[in-house]
Amino acid sequence: MKVMDKRLLYYDYDAALRHFENRLLKIKQGSLKRSRLKIVAKPVLLLAVLKAIDCGKITCNRIEYDDVKDIYEGVFRTFFMKARQENLTPMYYPWYYMKTDEFWKLAWKTGEMTTSAPGEGWIKRYVDYAFLDDDLWVIAQNHEYRHRLMDFLVEHKIVAYVNDDATMAAEGLSLKRMLVMLLAI
């Protein structure tokens, strides 16, 4: 499937990209209990959505849960060790909680619902689909700016908290942490 590389003539892509980079720097992320490193699930979900747009799996601003799930899991596994995550966060957590960051919206089946414990079944029961802020969607439609945003997510929100592999080796790995990492791969 050919992916469209849409570009509006009178749209300031650079200003919009800067705006979203600043918003992404402020997304609310939980922290891992032991290390206090940020949980990367929200940036990974957004990266997975951009990858799904990139490969033509998402062609309109209607993000279906099942269309992104495998890509999300693959992206999370790719960055699991570099981001020093303790567990693979199930996609339903960022899918539900990213709505607090305002660029991610949920289309409810019967009116907005709230929960403190979303699960995949809960998401499928109450959420029809997700969609992006209109300006973020415009950026995502352009190959160059989509890839710039993807690079920004990786560099500043997914592996930003890790200096290098030598630091990780110097800190040492517990047997439990090593097993968790191996299981994730």
Side-chain angles (χ1 to χ4, degrees):
M1 173 185 281
K2 174 120 172 81
V3 178
M4 292 183 58
D5 185 21
K6 191 173 177 182
R7 185 168 179 123
L8 301 174
L9 292 176
Y10 303 105
Y11 188 79
D12 190 340
Y13 284 86
D14 291 318
L17 181 65
R18 281 190 306 276
H19 169 76
F20 280 104
E21 287 174 344
N22 286 328
R23 283 178 78 182
L24 290 172
L25 287 173
K26 297 173 187 168
I27 63 174
K28 299 168 186 111
Q29 293 174 261
S31 297
L32 299 170
K33 289 178 184 174
R34 285 189 195 171
S35 64
R36 295 191 202 129
L37 290 172
K38 298 290 184 187
I39 297 171
V40 298
K42 284 182 177 182
V44 165
L45 175 56
L46 186 55
L47 182 59
V49 167
L50 294 172
K51 285 181 173 282
I53 292 167
D54 207 42
C55 73
K57 197 165 193 172
I58 296 174
T59 58
C60 65
N61 197 1
R62 181 184 175 107
I63 304 158
E64 303 284 344
Y65 188 88
D66 289 333
D67 287 347
V68 182
K69 187 177 177 188
D70 290 341
I71 298 170
Y72 169 84
E73 290 172 359
V75 170
F76 210 118
R77 282 184 173 84
T78 298
F79 293 106
F80 184 82
M81 289 181 68
K82 277 197 168 195
R84 296 191 195 169
Q85 299 298 284
E86 294 173 357
N87 298 306
L88 287 169
T89 304
M91 189 175 80
Y92 48 81
Y93 286 118
W95 186 274
Y96 176 73
Y97 288 112
M98 197 153 57
K99 69 186 175 95
T100 63
D101 295 303
E102 298 178 10
F103 57 82
W104 179 264
K105 317 253 188 247
L106 298 176
W108 300 96
K109 290 183 179 180
T110 59
E112 186 168 350
M113 304 289 291
T114 59
T115 182
S116 59
E120 189 169 317
W122 189 93
I123 296 287
K124 290 181 177 185
R125 189 174 311 118
Y126 296 112
V127 178
D128 199 16
Y129 58 91
F131 59 100
L132 300 174
D133 172 279
D134 289 337
D135 286 304
L136 183 53
W137 178 253
V138 169
I139 292 171
Q141 296 312 291
N142 179 273
H143 182 270
E144 175 190 346
Y145 286 89
R146 180 174 56 247
H147 281 264
R148 287 173 63 183
L149 191 57
M150 291 164 73
D151 291 342
F152 180 86
L153 282 166
V154 171
E155 293 170 20
H156 297 280
K157 296 306 292 180
I158 297 175
V159 296
Y161 306 104
V162 180
N163 295 329
D164 56 31
D165 292 335
T167 303
M168 191 170 170
E171 291 175 0
L173 291 174
S174 68
L175 180 58
K176 179 182 176 187
R177 182 162 163 73
M178 189 177 307
L179 288 173
V180 168
M181 285 185 210
L182 290 173
L183 288 172
I185 296 171

